[in-house]
Amino acid sequence: MEKSPETRRYKNSFLNWIEYRLPIISYMEKEYGDYPMPKNCNYFWSFGALASILLVVLIVSGIFLAMHYTPHTDMAFDSVERIMRDVNYGWLLRYMHSNGAAFFFIIVYIHILRGMYYGSYKYPRELNWILGVFIYLLMMATSFLGYVLPWGQMSYWGATVITNLFSAIPVIGEGLKTWILGDYTLGNATLNRFFALHYVLPFVIFGVVGLHIAAVHVHGSNNPTGIDIKSKDDSVKFFPYMLVKDTLATCVLGVVIAVVIFFGPNLMAEVDNYIPADPLVTPSHIVANWYLAPFYAILRAIPDKLGGVTLMFGAILILFVLPWLDTSKTKSCNYRPVYKWFMMLFFVNFFILGYVGMKPAEGIYLLIARLGLIYYFGFLLVLTPLIGKIETPKSLPASISDFFMNKGNNIKESKSETELH
Amino acid sequence: MRILLIAIIFLLPNYNLLAENSNSSKPKHKWSFSGFTGTFDRASVQRGLKVYREVCSGCHSMKLLYYRDLIDIGFSKEQVKAIAADYTIIDGPNDEGEMFERPARPSDRFVSPFANEQEARVSNNGAYPPDLSVITKARKNGVDYLYNLLLGYKEPPEGFEIGEGMYYNKWIEGNQIAMAPPLDEGYVDYDDGTENTLPQLAEDVVTFLAWSAEPELEIRKKIGIKVILFFIIFGIIIYLIKQRLWRDVN
């Protein structure tokens, strides 16, 4: 085979040797060195990097935890406590893993909200969005499986509630549930397979994240204006400009996450999970992990079990078609005066759903959950297609550098003003 | 969008705190181990151990603790050996295939008062005294809750129907508890001359339980401060580099 003319030459002969056989050096250079980032990306564009870092932290801490964990109903709880007490820095591993998972969700939620607000899911990044929603689905499954492993009260009863959902499916429901549990009730067979799946799914997530990143690098990142890179002036290289911003964001996250891990490691945990699982005692109210609470609220808002399950899964699956529900050509909500406020309301509504998802489903909470549910679907299915048709977007800047210069000028002006005072 | 970010940052971690609001009316106690730099008051933990050994251990197990763990709270190896030797455990089988009794060693787990749950229930009017190893983590606002609970035994208000063998307690869910008032003034005599009032006994035993639930607390906070400082200093350096780099772009 003839040598391709593009093969890069490097000063270092070892790099050359590798590059000639596997062009990974030039690939890394292209994707993480020279990769053009729009100049005007704000710190919301660092959350993808933060999520990737957390995923690695979770996988590494998880592997070490798995070395000491015993997936058996009689021993799981004690083995987790053994990790906390007798394994060197086991408490650190476990708290990093459990709080890291919670922060992974926080980061990913902000990442998703950013994508929604700035219209990152629109042409030509639809597939990228779909891969993202797929990652989110996998995350939910993985976190649920992981939550079962300590075999505390909330593990056991949470898993009972969730696996019972499958029995709502007509005809095959009961059989499906038994197949998933590996037994007629939640037991050792279930715990074993949940551990196996919890170990393997993060690697699947890792793979899909790879695709997700590769896909976004094809057309480049979106930016707050929502317009594409048109000239070299519009962008900066990933290295070092974006990397330094991502590193700064990592430091900020590091401070926040360290405060939680070291000074309030159980703030986001359910106390009932420090009580060993007891199939004979039901906790006074079974709550979902807080990061799944919005969907738990939707589930319980419907009096009919099958209806609740359908809507709960529907609430996630509907996100897959968001790029085709949105009829507006304008990407960024900064230039969509009407839709912007409904989008904000959607975010707030999601929080409220999460809050009522943690409360008992009765009285006022049930009412709020139902209203929240109506807005959740109403926004995605009715408002999003409708507003795109009737709204007049603001005029977009001519180019990113144009926008960036103006913004820079504004800052300089205000600076000189303060200097004057 | 910026306002939203701030809202998110403040709302997200507060989910649980908000959900726990119902608990906030309970009185809070000041603990030696709370706050960013709080450490366990060793003398209090040791007194708490005495309270546990003389009172609580009659019904409650602490299966996750080893006697050797007591070295962490300031006992010498010899003292720990002596404490362990006060208990008898069943070991075996020996070479003849027989189970035998021997005094406990520092490497043994805390001896449980009952052989199994059934025995515990039959001795306690059908109720099962929970294991206390991680009890402060297993209740909402655990340390304050337990302290309040120990002081919360009162005469039931008029018209309150109390079950057979149950006691009225202000702080337990449903206000009925199967545990008889476990502590009262003078129940345990302290060796170090500390007054053995009921609040003192309660504070000491809860401090001991808090240590038992989170023996890593002190080292955790110590490392935590270093980690936070690292990220702050590293972050400042990165921030300065970033300002320098982006000056040209701007």
Side-chain angles (χ1 to χ4, degrees):
Chain A
M1 199 178 131
E2 240 176 87
K3 202 168 122 187
S4 71
E6 303 102 82
T7 305
R8 291 279 302 263
R9 303 292 301 171
Y10 295 92
K11 277 184 186 156
N12 186 320
S13 59
F14 178 66
L15 291 185
N16 260 332
W17 190 89
I18 301 268
E19 175 69 18
Y20 183 66
R21 283 149 185 88
L22 179 71
I24 193 169
I25 315 282
S26 60
Y27 175 82
M28 291 304 284
E29 247 188 341
K30 186 171 143 265
E31 298 297 322
Y32 297 101
D34 302 337
Y35 174 68
M37 280 295 290
K39 266 180 179 181
N40 59 332
C41 282
N42 54 33
Y43 278 101
F44 280 110
W45 268 264
S46 292
F47 281 83
L50 295 182
S52 323
I53 291 169
L54 274 183
L55 178 61
V56 173
V57 169
L58 284 173
I59 289 178
V60 172
S61 59
I63 289 171
F64 281 99
L65 287 173
M67 292 176 189
H68 300 282
Y69 172 75
T70 313
H72 187 283
T73 48
D74 292 342
M75 288 177 267
F77 185 88
D78 284 352
S79 76
V80 170
E81 277 304 324
R82 206 185 93 80
I83 289 171
M84 300 286 287
R85 291 161 175 277
D86 297 335
V87 173
N88 287 336
Y89 295 100
W91 55 269
L92 181 57
L93 285 173
R94 172 151 188 255
Y95 284 151
M96 270 168 67
H97 198 72
S98 61
N99 288 301
F103 272 93
F104 193 37
F105 270 91
I106 295 175
I107 298 295
V108 165
Y109 273 130
I110 296 174
H111 190 65
I112 295 173
L113 297 188
R114 191 269 288 156
M116 288 180 82
Y117 184 87
Y118 292 113
S120 303
Y121 51 82
K122 288 184 201 179
Y123 175 86
R125 301 185 185 87
E126 298 96 328
L127 185 60
N128 202 53
W129 170 262
I130 289 171
L131 286 168
V133 178
F134 193 55
I135 292 170
Y136 177 50
L137 259 179
L138 285 170
M139 278 170 64
M140 291 171 94
T142 310
S143 77
F144 161 69
L145 296 169
Y147 198 56
V148 178
L149 302 186
W151 209 244
Q153 272 290 67
M154 212 46 91
S155 299
Y156 182 89
W157 289 98
T160 306
V161 170
I162 300 294
T163 49
N164 255 331
L165 298 179
F166 291 97
S167 66
I169 300 167
V171 188
I172 59 162
E174 278 300 329
L176 183 65
K177 184 188 140 193
T178 310
W179 182 71
I180 289 170
L181 291 179
D183 199 343
Y184 294 105
T185 53
L186 203 61
N188 200 45
T190 321
L191 183 58
N192 260 299
R193 59 186 54 193
F194 277 16
F195 178 54
L197 291 172
H198 183 71
Y199 199 101
V200 76
L201 279 185
F203 296 98
V204 179
I205 294 179
F206 195 81
V208 184
V209 166
L211 293 178
H212 187 66
I213 295 172
V216 79
H217 280 204
V218 174
H219 290 283
S221 303
N222 188 27
N223 64 80
T225 63
I227 52 178
D228 294 329
I229 295 173
K230 286 172 186 148
S231 67
K232 271 218 144 164
D233 286 347
D234 290 348
S235 65
V236 290
K237 287 181 178 179
F238 179 84
F239 181 85
Y241 295 99
M242 209 49 209
L243 183 70
V244 75
K245 283 180 91 171
D246 286 350
T247 313
L248 183 54
T250 309
C251 288
V252 175
L253 174 69
V255 172
V256 177
I257 208 168
V259 167
V260 175
I261 289 176
F262 293 101
F263 296 96
N266 289 311
L267 276 180
M268 293 192 277
E270 279 303 320
V271 287
D272 281 359
N273 234 19
Y274 279 107
I275 304 170
D278 186 346
L280 300 174
V281 183
T282 320
S284 52
H285 73 278
I286 301 167
V287 285
N289 242 345
W290 63 263
Y291 37 83
L292 305 177
F295 300 101
Y296 195 52
I298 292 176
L299 169 76
R300 296 187 305 176
I302 307 296
D304 174 59
K305 193 171 164 191
L306 180 60
V309 174
T310 313
L311 280 188
M312 184 179 75
F313 285 110
I316 305 160
L317 297 179
I318 196 175
L319 293 173
F320 278 113
V321 293
L322 179 61
W324 295 276
L325 288 172
D326 194 342
T327 48
S328 170
K329 288 270 178 292
T330 312
K331 281 181 190 149
S332 171
C333 275
N334 281 351
Y335 301 94
R336 301 187 64 184
V338 182
Y339 190 61
K340 175 183 180 170
W341 295 109
F342 285 104
M343 180 67 89
M344 294 280 200
L345 188 58
F346 179 74
F347 298 161
V348 173
N349 182 54
F350 193 71
F351 282 119
I352 294 173
L353 273 177
Y355 176 68
V356 295
M358 307 278 300
K359 292 285 191 181
E362 56 197 25
I364 184 78
Y365 297 122
L366 192 57
L367 183 69
I368 296 172
R370 285 178 179 161
L371 293 175
L373 164 70
I374 292 168
Y375 186 73
Y376 185 96
F377 283 99
F379 172 81
L380 291 171
L381 287 175
V382 181
L383 292 174
T384 302
L386 199 66
I387 294 173
K389 287 242 157 66
I390 56 175
E391 173 190 52
T392 332
K394 290 189 208 165
S395 60
L396 292 167
S399 71
I400 292 172
S401 57
D402 228 43
F403 169 83
F404 193 74
M405 289 310 280
N406 288 334
K407 200 176 124 207
N409 285 344
N410 288 343
I411 292 165
K412 267 172 208 155
E413 271 163 31
S414 59
K415 255 188 193 164
S416 54
E417 261 174 48
T418 48
E419 273 160 24
L420 282 173
H421 284 304
Chain B
M1 200 66 192
R2 251 178 223 163
I3 304 166
L4 189 76
L5 178 70
I6 294 165
I8 292 168
I9 287 171
F10 281 95
L11 275 176
L12 273 174
N14 281 341
Y15 261 16
N16 259 20
L17 303 182
L18 286 170
E20 279 174 24
N21 260 356
S22 52
N23 248 0
S24 60
S25 56
K26 291 178 181 174
K28 294 228 158 42
H29 188 69
K30 207 172 156 15
W31 299 101
S32 58
F33 50 86
S34 57
F36 269 79
T37 50
T39 51
F40 291 115
D41 176 350
R42 288 289 185 285
S44 180
V45 180
Q46 293 191 6
R47 289 196 298 269
L49 171 71
K50 190 155 198 258
V51 178
Y52 169 74
R53 288 180 66 193
E54 292 182 14
V55 183
C56 320
S57 66
C59 304
H60 292 277
S61 60
M62 288 187 91
K63 286 180 199 155
L64 297 176
L65 280 186
Y66 292 93
Y67 290 108
R68 62 170 157 79
D69 292 334
L70 297 176
I71 292 172
D72 291 351
I73 57 172
F75 288 107
S76 68
K77 279 186 180 172
E78 280 62 43
Q79 282 172 309
V80 171
K81 254 183 205 164
I83 291 172
D86 285 350
Y87 298 88
T88 311
I89 70 163
I90 297 169
D91 201 351
N94 62 12
D95 294 344
E96 278 102 51
E98 307 279 334
M99 301 302 278
F100 60 94
E101 286 188 345
R102 65 162 170 81
R105 289 190 287 253
S107 58
D108 286 317
R109 286 176 185 271
F110 271 35
V111 174
S112 301
F114 302 108
N116 47 53
E117 184 179 333
Q118 285 74 9
E119 192 190 278
R121 279 189 192 279
V122 79
S123 326
N124 284 287
N125 208 3
Y128 180 49
D131 185 89
L132 296 183
S133 311
V134 287
I135 198 78
T136 62
K137 289 199 285 191
R139 299 290 182 273
K140 273 180 185 159
N141 301 326
V143 280
D144 287 321
Y145 168 77
L146 290 177
Y147 181 76
N148 291 331
L149 188 81
L150 289 171
L151 303 182
Y153 285 92
K154 299 258 160 32
E155 281 299 309
E158 239 167 88
F160 187 90
E161 286 219 14
I162 202 131
E164 175 91 32
M166 302 292 274
Y167 301 86
Y168 181 83
N169 192 304
K170 211 177 152 189
W171 299 112
I172 196 156
E173 216 179 325
N175 294 48
Q176 292 196 55
I177 186 166
M179 174 169 69
L183 290 176
D184 209 345
E185 189 161 343
Y187 266 32
V188 178
D189 284 320
Y190 285 142
D191 308 323
D192 60 359
T194 311
E195 245 190 292
N196 49 7
T197 59
L198 174 59
Q200 184 66 44
L201 292 174
E203 182 184 313
D204 289 340
V205 79
V206 172
T207 306
F208 168 69
L209 293 175
W211 164 77
S212 143
E214 297 183 283
E216 85 294 344
L217 179 133
E218 290 176 2
I219 180 99
R220 195 181 74 214
K221 288 180 179 178
K222 241 177 164 171
I223 297 176
I225 287 172
K226 285 181 197 155
V227 172
I228 291 170
L229 276 178
F230 165 78
F231 277 119
I232 289 175
I233 293 166
F234 187 54
I236 289 171
I237 294 169
I238 294 292
Y239 176 74
L240 294 174
I241 295 171
K242 187 239 150 198
Q243 291 300 85
R244 181 68 209 276
L245 258 175
W246 278 76
R247 206 166 60 191
D248 304 336
V249 182
N250 291 332

